[in-house]
Amino acid sequence: MEQKTTPVLKGGSDPNGIRGLPPYLIIAGLTVLCSIGLFSVVSHVRMMPEAASYEATWVDQAFDGLLKLTIPIFSLVLMTLLFSVVRFRTRPGRPHEEGVRFDRSRGEFVEVLWIAISLVLTVGLAAFGAKEFRLIRGTDQADVDIQVNSSQWSWEFFYPSYNQYASSLILPEGKRVRLLLTSKDVVHSFWVPEFRVKQDALPGKVVKLLFTPSKTGTYQLLCAELCGTEHTIMTARVNVVDAKAFEATMKEESWEGR
Amino acid sequence: MTNLIRGLVSFGVASLAVAFLLARALPREAAASLGYLVGLFAFLIGVGGLAAFQHWLKDKEEEQVHGWQRYFRFTTDHKVIGVQYLVTSLVVFVLAGVMALVIRVELAKPGLQFLSYDTYNTVMGIHGIGMIVVALIAIIGGLGNFSVPLMIGTKDMAFPRLNALSFWILPPAVLLLLSSLVTGGFDFGWTAYPPLSVRGPLGKLFFVLAFISVGFSSIFGGVNFVATISQLRAKGMSLFKMPIFVWSILAAGIIIVLATSVVASALLMILFDRVLGTTFFDPSQGGNVLLYQHLFWFYSHPAVYIMILPAFGVILELLPVYARKPLFAYRLAALSFVAIVVLSFVVWAHHLFTSGMWDALSIPFMVTTELISVPTGVVFLSALGTLWLGKLQLKTPMLFALGFLVNFLIGGLTGIFNADVPTDLHLQDTWFVVAHFHFTIMGGAIFAWFAGIYHWFPKITGKMYNETLGKIHFWLLLIGFNATFIPMFWLGTRGMRRRVADFPPDLASVQLWISLVGLMVVLAVAVFLFNMIRSWVKGESAPSNPWEARTLEWNP
């Protein structure tokens, strides 16, 4: 019964456009407009905090890349949806009508095309992600080692080569540092938004995190893993200073020495 | 009603009596656990569970209870159980929503307003786990129980008593969870990572026990659906003739059966660490804290597909009805559900990119996670293809289905930012993640749930809901929801951590905005509840098939 009452779409000129424009053209135009609008929004709103490590520039590049991928997809799907809703809605008072089904071969073509495109995009995306991740992790070579001891709810830093303890983190600009993270009690997480890279600190284990601060300034270290009552205020000051100042501070006997 | 009251009283009396008696001989936590276990059985007997089994043993028909009384007792009728699930989900939804409101008042300004850190953590945790429970049971338990047996042409579920048991485990578990508010609370969100979860107040133990109970309830439900759908279909209904909603419940049921036992064992290990003195997660005794995270996410990531597959099912079931044409790419959509089931088991470690897990594992898990976008994309293809050249009737259920597509599009695409290892290093544990999963679960599963409720309301109650109020509900919720949650992406990228009670002053204006527009969501839900209650009590009588749908449940 369905077969008889529901007309089947055939190729040829499309009567579903608006004012003589074919629907595909309208959707394409709307998609371009929507993408331009969204790109201008994300370029005017500062999404990321300032980048203060070399790794941060890679993360930001990855983030921008994903925006370039997702905004057009979002626009295309949304505009197709909106076009369909506007163009194919029934107005009140119209007699009851049935929709038009696709003929099978045309439907199958669309299915295969859709899957192929999404597979290619996915694989490409993963390849980019893997490449950028390797760049972010880099080599295991570091100029400075720092032990980071976390506990509920404070941070403590130890510089083995200088035999210095500190309650705030001092880092040399442009030198690659290796943090050796550990926890005395529960899981904590080392995160300085300006450095981007985040790493949990686990009890009973030492986890490495390597990165290179690239900009002098004062930042805040935040615990990013829920760790109990005072998780909210488990923060510490981070100072990135130039390499000379770093050496000088480290050699000062009295500097927070314990 | 008397049954429910009897159950609740037995639960309270039995659990407290046993707990306090045993507390003289046993450690506190062991006594409390056993007390809860005894109380749970007392509750089940109180609501009439024993009677149902006696009928079964004596091979007698269950006595039929009519009217509203039947909703408050242990019954095996799948339609009654469906309504029980729906109403319970709504109650928990409102309770957890109140917690969200408390959170938003606290976060309206920088600094602490009226909560202590501990209370904030507990309120936030109850909001989280409460909404997780809602998302787990609302569509499967509510709409699934009501519609699936009708849609496949069977009288009831395969195991009707198990079905009732699976529902009646929930009320004590929810009560236990709420009671953690006055027993020291819990400060580990809904994830209960050790070692944080193996020490501290009784409230944490209650969370663990409640979680395990919900897990059992879920497994019972899942087994039941898989058995029912695979064995009790009407003659001639082959797999590829099943309505797509039934497909989605089958897929979700398979995930429940395979994955839930894993998280239940992880939580049992926590329970053993607390009560029996084992050291699964104590590194000083050779335990491993990452082990828990793997076990937990081995369930809890597939769990999001337990929530979202039925939502896909509802949407793809409804779109053809309101577009007046058959579902586009039906077979492919059903197969994509199967693909999601398979892939869902090999993606869990994308929650662990920053956990200290071996770095090399991140890449394969990123690949598998991103692969899920292919079957998910098929769902969108199916939806768009169904809308194309349709005759769309923009009734409330259709509006919610369309709203689902918009929200889930945002939720899905922002998921890529979390699945991509480089960006996740920054975004993990920030409000970006919070915004993302609210778009998938609230904008997705909950929107689909609303769509389904409106669609099946005439079938469930025999009354029509008020269309104008339904549309007001939709527009308030769509606009309010997006205005609330879109700014959260920005907060996350700017450096706002998850699960904190305070934030830097430069984020204050956006936080205040979120608190204010969040009230639109509250208003929307209030309109919805008003519409539901009013229409059920004194709505117009509904025709037997008001939407001219073609699935079996609408057959008179």
Side-chain angles (χ1 to χ4, degrees):
Chain A
M1 177 202 113
E2 265 175 48
Q3 290 288 3
K4 280 178 198 161
T5 52
T6 55
V8 173
L9 176 72
K10 301 203 179 60
S13 78
D14 209 321
N16 297 294
I18 298 174
R19 298 187 186 196
L21 287 171
Y24 307 104
L25 209 60
I26 299 173
I27 292 173
L30 288 172
T31 302
V32 171
L33 285 179
C34 179
S35 303
I36 292 173
L38 285 172
F39 275 120
S40 73
V41 169
V42 293
S43 65
H44 281 88
V45 179
R46 275 191 53 209
M47 300 280 281
M48 289 288 183
E50 72 175 307
S53 76
Y54 288 136
E55 289 69 19
T57 51
W58 288 117
V59 171
D60 290 2
Q61 204 173 23
F63 191 83
D64 284 343
L66 290 184
L67 283 178
K68 282 184 189 121
L69 174 78
T70 50
I71 284 180
I73 296 177
F74 173 76
S75 308
L76 177 65
V77 176
L78 185 68
M79 290 304 133
T80 312
L81 187 68
L82 286 183
F83 177 86
S84 306
V85 171
V86 172
R87 184 64 189 82
F88 303 127
R89 76 186 190 281
T90 48
R91 282 115 183 127
R94 284 284 190 83
H96 190 84
E97 290 174 305
E98 293 293 301
V100 183
R101 36 157 71 193
F102 285 93
D103 68 48
R104 179 157 285 175
S105 62
R106 196 167 160 160
E108 274 171 10
F109 173 72
V110 176
E111 290 171 25
V112 171
L113 189 70
W114 183 280
I115 290 186
I117 291 175
S118 53
L119 255 179
V120 168
L121 284 178
T122 304
V123 172
L125 186 68
F128 265 104
K131 192 185 124 210
E132 287 156 341
F133 183 49
R134 280 177 61 107
L135 286 168
I136 289 170
R137 283 298 188 237
T139 63
D140 216 15
Q141 306 287 313
D143 303 314
V144 187
D145 270 352
I146 305 168
Q147 288 176 11
V148 179
N149 304 315
S150 58
S151 59
Q152 286 175 321
W153 294 274
S154 64
W155 299 94
E156 183 197 64
F157 311 97
F158 177 64
Y159 296 77
S161 27
Y162 305 91
N163 200 23
Q164 290 271 25
Y165 279 98
S167 60
S168 69
L169 181 60
I170 295 207
L171 299 171
E173 182 197 7
K175 300 267 186 204
R176 194 161 164 81
V177 298
R178 172 170 35 217
L179 303 185
L180 303 162
L181 300 155
T182 186
S183 164
K184 282 184 193 147
D185 35 49
V186 303
V187 182
H188 301 282
S189 189
F190 177 98
W191 187 40
V192 179
E194 287 79 3
F195 299 159
R196 307 291 189 273
V197 282
K198 183 183 287 120
Q199 186 59 61
D200 287 7
L202 302 171
K205 203 175 166 182
V206 177
V207 185
K208 282 181 302 189
L209 175 65
L210 289 100
F211 63 94
T212 310
S214 61
K215 203 166 185 183
T216 56
T218 304
Y219 310 103
Q220 206 177 22
L221 162 59
L222 309 165
C223 176
E225 183 65 62
L226 181 54
C227 59
T229 309
E230 289 177 25
H231 166 61
T232 302
I233 47 172
M234 185 172 162
T235 58
R237 203 161 44 120
V238 179
N239 276 320
V240 177
V241 296
D242 64 56
K244 266 188 197 156
F246 177 77
E247 290 293 329
T249 320
M250 282 298 138
K251 297 210 166 103
E252 270 175 47
E253 276 302 310
S254 63
W255 176 72
E256 282 199 45
R258 266 190 273 158
Chain B
M1 202 70 183
T2 47
N3 277 54
L4 181 61
I5 292 168
R6 200 162 63 211
L8 289 174
V9 172
S10 337
F11 173 61
V13 172
S15 53
L16 288 176
V18 172
F20 279 109
L21 272 176
L22 288 179
R24 292 153 185 256
L26 290 172
R28 203 176 52 149
E29 300 232 321
S33 308
L34 289 172
Y36 168 69
L37 199 62
V38 173
L40 184 60
F41 279 99
F43 175 83
L44 290 170
I45 293 168
V47 292
L50 209 55
F53 282 90
Q54 279 167 349
H55 288 303
W56 174 64
L57 283 174
K58 293 179 190 156
D59 206 18
K60 272 200 303 188
E61 280 283 304
E62 198 181 327
E63 54 177 318
Q64 292 290 317
V65 183
H66 295 284
W68 58 273
Q69 289 280 3
R70 68 192 152 147
Y71 295 114
F72 295 96
R73 56 188 293 144
F74 195 99
T75 25
T76 56
D77 182 340
H78 70 97
K79 288 193 221 159
V80 175
I81 295 174
V83 173
Q84 287 170 335
Y85 263 113
L86 278 177
V87 174
T88 308
S89 323
L90 273 175
V91 171
V92 181
F93 182 72
V94 169
L95 281 175
V98 169
M99 301 295 165
L101 207 57
V102 174
I103 294 173
R104 280 323 316 172
V105 175
E106 175 57 54
L107 293 180
K109 280 198 300 186
L112 284 190
Q113 318 313 320
F114 68 105
L115 294 180
S116 68
Y117 288 127
D118 274 330
T119 325
Y120 181 86
N121 283 337
T122 306
V123 165
M124 183 266 301
I126 290 183
H127 166 70
I129 192 70
M131 288 302 188
I132 294 277
V133 172
V134 171
L136 275 176
I137 67 173
I139 298 183
I140 302 188
L143 303 173
N145 258 311
F146 191 92
S147 301
V148 164
L150 299 175
M151 286 175 131
I152 61 173
T154 176
K155 271 198 294 190
D156 207 322
M157 298 287 282
F159 311 115
R161 275 162 295 273
L162 187 66
N163 200 16
L165 177 64
S166 130
F167 169 75
W168 284 106
I169 291 176
L170 290 173
V174 171
L175 286 179
L176 185 72
L177 188 71
L178 287 176
S179 70
S180 68
L181 267 173
V182 292
T183 48
F186 54 95
D187 55 5
F188 46 56
W190 77 280
T191 53
Y193 278 8
L196 191 58
S197 52
V198 294
R199 51 184 85 151
L202 212 51
K204 299 197 191 186
L205 177 78
F206 287 2
F207 172 94
V208 172
L209 288 171
F211 198 119
I212 295 172
S213 309
V214 173
F216 271 100
S217 153
S218 191
I219 293 175
F220 295 158
V223 167
N224 218 340
F225 277 113
V226 172
T228 308
I229 297 170
S230 59
Q231 299 300 322
L232 296 183
R233 296 195 306 276
K235 247 195 188 134
M237 182 173 282
S238 58
L239 276 180
F240 282 105
K241 283 187 179 142
M242 295 196 311
I244 195 78
F245 179 62
V246 177
W247 262 107
S248 73
I249 300 287
L250 177 63
I254 291 171
I255 301 183
I256 291 176
V257 173
L258 294 180
T260 313
S261 51
V262 177
V263 79
S265 39
L267 267 294
L268 273 175
M269 285 154 94
I270 298 234
L271 190 71
F272 289 171
D273 271 14
R274 291 184 73 101
V275 177
L276 302 180
T278 55
T279 56
F280 291 113
F281 306 124
D282 181 353
S284 66
Q285 306 288 322
N288 185 339
V289 295
L290 273 187
L291 171 65
Y292 176 85
Q293 298 184 18
H294 281 287
L295 292 175
F296 181 83
W297 289 112
F298 184 80
Y299 163 78
S300 294
H301 197 80
V304 306
Y305 299 105
I306 299 174
M307 301 167 193
I308 209 64
L309 277 169
F312 289 164
V314 169
I315 299 305
L316 295 186
E317 192 65 52
L318 264 56
L319 286 177
V321 175
Y322 298 93
R324 307 310 307 158
K325 57 183 286 216
L327 181 64
F328 178 72
Y330 160 78
R331 193 179 267 265
L332 194 63
L335 289 175
S336 76
F337 291 173
V338 177
I340 290 177
V341 171
V342 174
L343 282 172
S344 76
F345 284 100
V346 288
V347 299
W348 78 89
H350 64 223
H351 292 269
L352 279 76
F353 288 158
T354 65
S355 71
M357 156 186 97
W358 186 33
D359 260 353
L361 280 178
S362 297
I363 304 294
F365 277 103
M366 169 175 68
V367 176
T368 51
T369 304
E370 288 173 351
L371 273 178
I372 287 203
S373 60
V374 177
T376 310
V378 169
V379 173
F380 273 88
L381 173 72
S382 192
L384 291 177
T386 306
L387 294 176
W388 196 255
L389 297 180
K391 298 286 180 200
L392 312 188
Q393 301 179 337
L394 299 179
K395 301 269 172 48
T396 306
M398 181 61 156
L399 290 177
F400 272 97
L402 296 169
F404 168 93
L405 292 175
V406 175
N407 295 334
F408 198 80
L409 181 62
I410 299 176
L413 289 173
T414 52
I416 298 175
F417 291 76
N418 298 320
D420 187 58
V421 187
T423 44
D424 188 62
L425 295 179
H426 181 58
L427 300 173
Q428 167 75 356
D429 276 317
T430 68
W431 276 43
F432 191 93
V433 179
V434 175
H436 157 72
F437 70 71
H438 278 89
F439 264 94
T440 54
I441 301 304
M442 178 164 181
I446 299 295
F447 266 64
W449 183 44
F450 285 141
I453 289 179
Y454 282 111
H455 177 74
W456 280 296
F457 188 83
K459 182 75 208 168
I460 294 172
T461 65
K463 306 284 180 63
M464 283 308 283
Y465 62 85
N466 182 310
E467 190 69 48
T468 314
L469 286 178
K471 284 184 175 151
I472 293 174
H473 170 213
F474 170 74
W475 286 110
L476 275 177
L477 191 63
L478 183 76
I479 296 169
F481 168 75
N482 276 280
T484 306
F485 287 93
I486 282 182
M488 291 188 189
F489 288 114
W490 180 82
L491 286 174
T493 55
R494 292 297 295 174
M496 173 93 195
R497 295 168 288 161
R498 275 178 86 172
R499 298 160 165 165
V500 289
D502 194 9
F503 51 87
D506 57 318
L507 304 177
S509 54
V510 175
Q511 288 283 17
L512 182 63
W513 161 266
I514 291 174
S515 287
L516 291 177
V517 292
L519 292 174
M520 275 176 83
V521 176
V522 178
L523 194 60
V525 174
V527 170
F528 167 72
L529 292 175
F530 175 74
N531 191 5
M532 289 296 108
I533 295 168
R534 205 188 73 139
S535 305
W536 199 342
V537 175
K538 51 178 198 178
E540 283 173 45
S541 289
S544 65
N545 188 357
W547 319 121
E548 298 180 37
R550 286 176 178 169
T551 35
L552 285 177
E553 81 274 25
W554 298 99
N555 273 2

